[in-house]
Amino acid sequence: MPLEDGDPVRPRGRQVNGEVSGIPRLRGMGNPEPRSMTAPGSSRTDMMAEGWEPGPALGDGDVTAGGAPQRASKPEEALMTELSELVQKVVKSSSWWERHGVDISILACSFLLLPAGFLCLRSAQAIPFLVGVLTLGVVHHTLTVKGSHLASHNALTESKSWGKVWAIFFIELCSAFTVEQATYNHVKIHHGYTNIIGLGDSSTWKLPFLNRYVYMFIAPLAVPILTPLVALDLLRNVEWKAALRTLCCMFLGFYCHYWLLLHVSGFQSPWSALLCMLLTRSLLAHPYIHVNIFQHIGLPMFTAERKPKRILLMSLGVLNLPRNALLDWSFGHSLISCHVEHHLFPSLSDNMCLKIKPIVSQYLKQKKLPYNEDTYSSRLWLFLQRYEELMVHAPPITELVGIQ
């Protein structure tokens, strides 16, 4: 539910146990200088291992105890390079099946489940009908969340041309959003400036006029309605050809779903078909909203002028949730249990993020860098308790005090 960023900045906060209510004091490591460009002639596999997404450069200096930037030392500059080389070895030694095949198979299986889901809805008995609703709901979120997310990062294929095709299919046809805006907002802004105030601070997910219970438990049901409305509004920012293509894809996606409910599932009225569409498309809307706020909001926030280096920024501002069979299938590992790995190496597929997880977690812990993990229930309770602080007021700024 993208909205406009622009929350005012509050005084600096403090971090305690990985949450913003104290000032983090990190010992033993400085801020590394990431490499944002690959060498001439390097392969896409190398770029995947590097994990960088191009974007405009903002202030990238380290912060000292007095708040003044300082130049990173050579050992500190090598941190991201060293981790990238470790990951690159794993990527190069992995087969196509591991890099892309596993996730493509999950998406293909979801497509194959569509006929069974629509046919189950023909039944007048409750159990088969509910099986149909659950099947179509899971398939819808697998295609729109997992498929769109992988396509936005071109992680489904090593071909840029096919990557563009899959992005249009998953993002516009299945998800009813425009590729250009989805890619810019997610890849360029959110990934480029994770937890940077006014840029990638996840404030687009905040609806401060709603109370905690409405936001957490009722508002997610409106996601299927709000998504195309927001997408239509964002079409003003794209070229007319892209806007026309998006409109055609959005209409085709909605109409195909509606037509199949009428002619395959046997719904007798348009309103019953539309109600079923809303039901299936909002089936996993609650964890979708929750996951998007749990993994960034409540963690350290920074200003563009005083943000830490990339590896520290991602280790501080990103959190992993435990593995969950349903959410792993529907949303993908990179959005659930491997979100830290995904933010460090965003071009890798879900399966590859899972494969490099032991390497990344061990490396960060070995270097005494943060590696945030928490349970779904713990984050839910945290947000219910501190909703006003985290979701209504502006996020506090975290200042790094000394890299000792």
Side-chain angles (χ1 to χ4, degrees):
M1 297 185 295
L3 300 176
E4 293 296 327
D5 292 339
D7 294 330
V9 176
R10 291 197 316 176
R12 292 184 177 90
R14 299 180 311 185
Q15 176 182 347
V16 176
N17 296 329
E19 297 161 13
V20 176
S21 59
I23 300 176
R25 297 175 179 268
L26 305 178
R27 299 180 179 273
M29 297 311 302
N31 295 334
E33 182 74 39
R35 296 183 303 171
S36 59
M37 300 291 290
T38 54
S42 61
S43 65
R44 185 177 181 277
T45 303
D46 296 333
M47 187 179 297
M48 289 168 58
E50 280 293 321
W52 300 126
E53 300 290 347
L58 293 179
D60 204 19
D62 295 318
V63 179
T64 64
Q70 66 176 6
R71 182 172 298 178
S73 63
K74 186 174 181 180
E76 294 164 357
E77 293 174 351
L79 276 178
M80 189 65 206
T81 301
E82 183 180 7
L83 178 59
S84 295
E85 290 173 350
L86 294 174
V87 171
Q88 186 178 24
K89 291 179 181 179
V90 178
V91 174
K92 286 187 174 182
S93 64
S94 301
S95 64
W96 176 88
W97 173 257
E98 292 175 305
R99 295 196 309 271
H100 304 292
V102 173
D103 294 295
I104 291 176
S105 297
I106 292 174
L107 294 171
C109 288
S110 298
F111 277 112
L112 295 176
L113 288 173
L114 282 173
F118 283 110
L119 290 174
C120 283
L121 293 180
R122 295 182 62 92
S123 176
Q125 299 180 1
I127 294 180
F129 184 84
L130 290 177
V131 169
V133 171
L134 292 173
T135 300
L136 291 183
V138 171
V139 169
H140 170 76
H141 285 85
T142 304
L143 300 181
T144 58
V145 180
K146 180 183 175 72
S148 295
H149 188 232
L150 290 174
S152 70
H153 290 285
N154 199 31
L156 286 171
T157 175
E158 298 184 11
S159 167
K160 290 186 177 180
S161 299
W162 276 108
K164 179 67 173 179
V165 172
W166 289 125
I168 293 174
F169 177 80
F170 285 111
I171 299 175
E172 297 191 352
L173 187 68
C174 298
S175 305
F177 216 81
T178 174
V179 167
E180 286 77 8
Q181 285 297 307
T183 302
Y184 177 79
N185 290 332
H186 180 72
V187 178
K188 306 297 183 184
I189 301 301
H190 175 64
H191 273 269
Y193 307 106
T194 302
N195 284 23
I196 302 300
I197 299 296
L199 291 168
D201 60 2
S202 300
S203 60
T204 54
W205 294 99
K206 296 185 178 184
L207 299 175
F209 55 89
L210 298 178
N211 70 46
R212 67 195 67 203
Y213 299 106
V214 172
Y215 180 87
M216 300 296 288
F217 302 113
I218 299 177
L221 298 174
V223 168
I225 299 173
L226 293 177
T227 298
L229 294 178
V230 172
L232 290 174
D233 180 66
L234 290 175
L235 290 181
R236 298 177 302 173
N237 302 323
V238 302
E239 296 182 354
W240 71 269
K241 292 182 179 179
L244 181 61
R245 181 201 67 219
T246 300
L247 288 173
C248 292
C249 289
M250 289 173 62
F251 173 79
L252 182 60
F254 279 116
Y255 184 75
C256 286
H257 193 175
Y258 174 75
W259 187 92
L260 288 169
L261 288 174
L262 289 179
H263 296 86
V264 176
S265 300
F267 282 83
Q268 299 300 312
S269 71
W271 289 111
S272 62
L274 292 173
L275 182 61
C276 185
M277 286 179 63
L278 177 62
L279 180 61
T280 56
R281 288 171 178 250
S282 63
L283 184 70
L284 296 179
H286 289 82
Y288 174 71
I289 294 294
H290 294 169
V291 165
N292 275 283
I293 64 175
F294 288 174
Q295 294 176 317
H296 296 287
I297 298 177
L299 296 172
M301 298 281 178
F302 304 93
T303 62
E305 296 76 20
R306 294 188 176 185
K307 70 185 181 74
K309 300 300 181 180
R310 182 181 178 89
I311 191 171
L312 185 56
L313 178 65
M314 298 308 174
S315 65
L316 278 169
V318 187
L319 178 140
N320 285 344
L321 295 171
R323 293 195 62 178
N324 178 286
L326 177 60
L327 298 184
D328 285 346
W329 177 278
S330 302
F331 295 173
H333 300 298
S334 61
L335 290 179
I336 306 299
S337 61
C338 303
H339 204 52
V340 174
E341 290 74 15
H342 170 64
H343 267 260
L344 287 169
F345 303 97
S347 296
L348 295 181
S349 66
D350 289 329
N351 186 65
M352 284 305 302
C353 283
L354 184 63
K355 187 173 182 180
I356 68 168
K357 180 181 175 71
I359 296 173
V360 173
S361 61
Q362 181 180 2
Y363 183 85
L364 294 180
K365 293 173 182 178
Q366 177 185 354
K367 301 300 182 181
K368 294 182 173 57
L369 293 173
Y371 187 77
N372 296 309
E373 295 178 297
D374 202 358
T375 64
Y376 191 103
S377 59
S378 174
R379 299 301 286 178
L380 180 61
W381 181 243
L382 171 72
F383 274 74
L384 289 176
Q385 285 186 312
R386 298 171 55 189
Y387 181 81
E388 294 288 330
E389 175 188 350
L390 299 177
M391 301 298 292
V392 176
H393 302 300
I397 299 172
T398 302
E399 182 179 353
L400 296 178
V401 181
I403 306 300
Q404 302 171 6

